Amino acid sequence: MGRGKIPIKRIENQTTRQVTFSKRRAGLLKKTHELSVLCDAQIGLIIFSTTGKMCQYCTEGYRMEQIIERYQKVTGTCIPEHDNREHLYNELAVLRKETRRLQLSMRRYTGEDMSSIPFEELDQLEHELERSVIKVRERKNELLQQQLDNLRRKERILEEENSNMYRWVSKWFN
């Protein structure tokens, strides 16, 4: 009795899929090695599992880099190397410059290092600070008004309770 034909589609059960992957990966690596030895072929095989693990085979006597370089020469493709150091240094320089600018701006608002600021900027800074003070006062007054309204409400409630209690007590003692 022979094996039944398995339909080629994604295996939904994760455990079954992982077992099948392991068995077929081993078979694929064995066949790759046999093809390399029997036919004297240069083969580079890279497999990534769904868990992200890498498995590779490279013909004996060669390195994967050599096979990839040969592939690139034949196909004319290039795998870009990601050396982000220069980009990171440029970004770091931009961030340092921005940090310095923000620190200078903060010093102006706190009153430090005012000697190098021209008159026009000082005048503008004064107006900004006055606007900020006005906003802070408005918010403070708004909060005080809310507290005052709450206290008045509580006062009315307490007065009503006091009046009700006075009526209740006067009923019992009169």
Side-chain angles (χ1 to χ4, degrees):
M1 181 178 228
R3 295 185 195 165
K5 191 161 184 137
I6 298 173
I8 303 299
K9 63 175 185 164
R10 184 176 188 270
I11 299 170
E12 295 302 321
N13 184 314
Q14 187 175 0
T15 306
T16 308
R17 185 171 57 237
Q18 186 60 39
V19 170
T20 303
F21 173 79
S22 296
K23 289 180 179 178
R24 288 195 175 220
R25 177 190 61 205
L28 182 60
L29 290 170
K30 182 179 175 187
K31 291 287 185 187
T32 304
H33 175 70
E34 290 172 359
L35 179 64
S36 174
V37 171
L38 291 172
C39 301
D40 196 26
Q42 297 175 10
I43 301 176
L45 174 67
I46 302 171
I47 305 169
F48 288 100
S49 71
T50 55
T51 59
K53 292 182 182 174
M54 183 186 82
C55 179
Q56 67 178 359
Y57 171 84
C58 187
T59 302
E60 287 184 33
Y62 292 92
R63 293 187 337 268
M64 187 63 78
E65 293 83 11
Q66 292 172 314
I67 293 176
I68 291 173
E69 284 174 14
R70 185 168 177 198
Y71 169 79
Q72 289 175 330
K73 285 178 188 172
V74 170
T75 60
T77 59
C78 181
I79 298 173
E81 292 184 24
H82 294 288
D83 187 8
N84 290 335
R85 278 185 244 160
E86 186 176 330
H87 174 70
L88 290 175
Y89 286 131
N90 291 338
E91 193 168 331
L92 186 61
V94 168
L95 289 173
R96 283 183 178 152
K97 198 180 286 185
E98 179 70 11
T99 301
R100 272 189 238 112
R101 187 188 66 76
L102 289 171
Q103 286 174 340
L104 283 173
S105 178
M106 288 300 296
R107 284 186 189 148
R108 289 179 179 173
Y109 285 110
T110 58
E112 300 172 31
D113 194 26
M114 302 293 267
S115 60
S116 62
I117 302 175
F119 177 78
E120 292 80 19
E121 285 185 33
L122 283 172
D123 195 42
Q124 181 182 359
L125 182 62
E126 181 183 17
H127 290 300
E128 287 177 20
L129 289 171
E130 286 174 353
R131 280 192 295 266
S132 296
V133 167
I134 289 170
K135 285 181 182 179
V136 168
R137 283 186 182 140
E138 286 175 352
R139 179 66 180 143
K140 184 180 88 172
N141 287 336
E142 182 181 314
L143 290 174
L144 285 172
Q145 188 61 44
Q146 287 176 358
Q147 287 178 346
L148 189 61
D149 291 343
N150 286 339
L151 288 172
R152 285 182 181 151
R153 252 185 261 118
K154 285 181 183 178
E155 181 185 25
R156 278 194 304 263
I157 291 170
L158 289 172
E159 284 178 351
E160 286 177 18
E161 285 180 4
N162 188 22
S163 175
N164 289 338
M165 288 179 83
Y166 179 76
R167 276 188 246 124
W168 183 77
V169 167
S170 61
K171 278 183 187 179
W172 285 98
F173 293 109
N174 285 338

